[in-house]
Amino acid sequence: MIRVVALAGLMLVLVSCGEKMASPPGKLRGQVRLEGKRPMMKSVSMDAEEACAKMHAAPVMDGTAVISETGGVKNVFVYVKRGLEGKSYAPPTETVVIEQKGCQFGPRVLGVRKMQTIAVKNLDPVTHNIHPMPKNNRDWNQSQAPGAEDLKRRFGFPEVMIPVKCNVHAWMRAYVAVMEHPFFAVTDAAGGFQIPDLPPGEYEIAAWHEQFGDLTRRVRVEPGAAVEVPLSFVSNLP
């Protein structure tokens, strides 16, 4: 009888440990807003490339700061900056695509995993050039003719952010973040974002924007909980 009780006790301990290890993940969600005066959007001049200008019936607006009517900021890169130390995640097999379409990069801001394949497509009838300018990774600078095969590259080291330009068309800009983990997002047109499947714990969340800079916030994620993370940049315009 004693052996049975001891075995039952051991099984209870194992079940308890298993339950602890299997704590359901949580989720971060929120909106990034701009407080204060909004910057004026400017139109992009494509006069230097007639073929580019002909692709657009209306003026193309510069995408540096896209703010919704309610103050939401588009194209903010939100990610877990601290709290995942010691954890490792295998790179995904999916390919991330950067398009050159209408003489613009799309998306303007994106996140990829370290060693994840990036495919660059030229969907325009003109030659483009893609030139990432990293600090921690090797840079590359390559032209891509209309109808050419996709350029496929990978970045081997984490880096937030890598600016990307086209040496042929000066108005073309994009930004790539290279991450060790999958817990990041880019805000939508309303400034909203979601980062699912985050293990319970204490984290430092960071947000980056090409004009408004960086901000951080500490959060705690409970098992199975959705944590609201409102983030606000403050405009320095008078």
Side-chain angles (χ1 to χ4, degrees):
M1 181 64 69
I2 295 176
R3 291 180 181 176
V4 173
V5 172
L7 181 59
L10 177 59
M11 291 177 65
L12 179 60
V13 171
L14 291 174
V15 170
S16 297
C17 291
E19 289 177 349
K20 184 177 181 180
M21 294 176 61
S23 295
K27 176 171 65 175
L28 300 179
R29 63 189 182 195
Q31 184 187 39
V32 181
R33 295 175 49 81
L34 178 68
E35 304 293 342
K37 188 176 180 179
R38 305 180 188 182
M40 294 290 294
M41 292 187 68
K42 301 177 181 179
S43 61
V44 174
S45 174
M46 295 186 179
D47 294 343
E49 181 70 78
E50 184 179 359
C52 291
K54 286 183 176 179
M55 295 182 209
H56 302 277
V60 177
M61 306 307 293
D62 174 38
T64 301
V66 182
I67 315 298
S68 74
E69 293 184 0
T70 58
V73 185
K74 185 181 180 180
N75 287 330
V76 178
F77 187 72
V78 184
Y79 64 103
V80 174
K81 186 174 183 178
R82 293 186 178 86
L84 294 168
E85 293 77 12
K87 296 181 174 63
S88 60
Y89 301 88
T93 58
E94 296 87 354
T95 297
V96 176
V97 175
I98 298 176
E99 293 184 345
Q100 297 167 108
K101 184 177 180 181
C103 294
Q104 294 177 292
F105 287 124
R108 188 178 182 93
V109 177
L110 74 156
V112 301
R113 299 282 301 284
K114 182 179 70 174
M115 297 307 294
Q116 185 174 13
T117 300
I118 302 171
V120 184
K121 297 178 179 291
N122 184 0
L123 304 179
D124 288 332
V126 299
T127 296
H128 285 299
N129 165 274
I130 184 165
H131 184 188
M133 297 173 289
K135 295 181 179 179
N136 299 337
N137 290 273
R138 293 181 60 182
D139 69 345
W140 45 278
N141 181 1
Q142 189 164 346
S143 294
Q144 191 176 31
E149 292 185 2
D150 296 351
L151 299 176
K152 293 188 177 181
R153 298 289 187 273
R154 295 184 295 180
F155 292 110
F157 300 95
E159 186 167 354
V160 179
M161 301 284 291
I162 299 175
V164 182
K165 68 177 182 177
C166 172
N167 290 337
V168 179
H169 308 110
W171 62 83
M172 292 177 65
R173 287 286 186 272
Y175 299 88
V176 179
V178 184
M179 304 298 295
E180 292 266 19
H181 58 74
F183 304 110
F184 56 84
V186 178
T187 57
D188 59 24
F193 69 91
Q194 291 195 44
I195 301 178
D197 302 323
L198 191 59
E202 298 274 355
Y203 298 100
E204 182 179 343
I205 307 303
W208 173 94
H209 185 269
E210 60 181 289
Q211 178 171 338
F212 305 132
D214 302 270
L215 56 86
T216 59
R217 180 169 177 173
R218 299 286 302 183
V219 300
R220 178 176 179 81
V221 176
E222 301 289 351
V227 182
E228 294 288 340
V229 188
L231 298 166
S232 294
F233 291 104
V234 178
S235 173
N236 59 3
L237 295 175

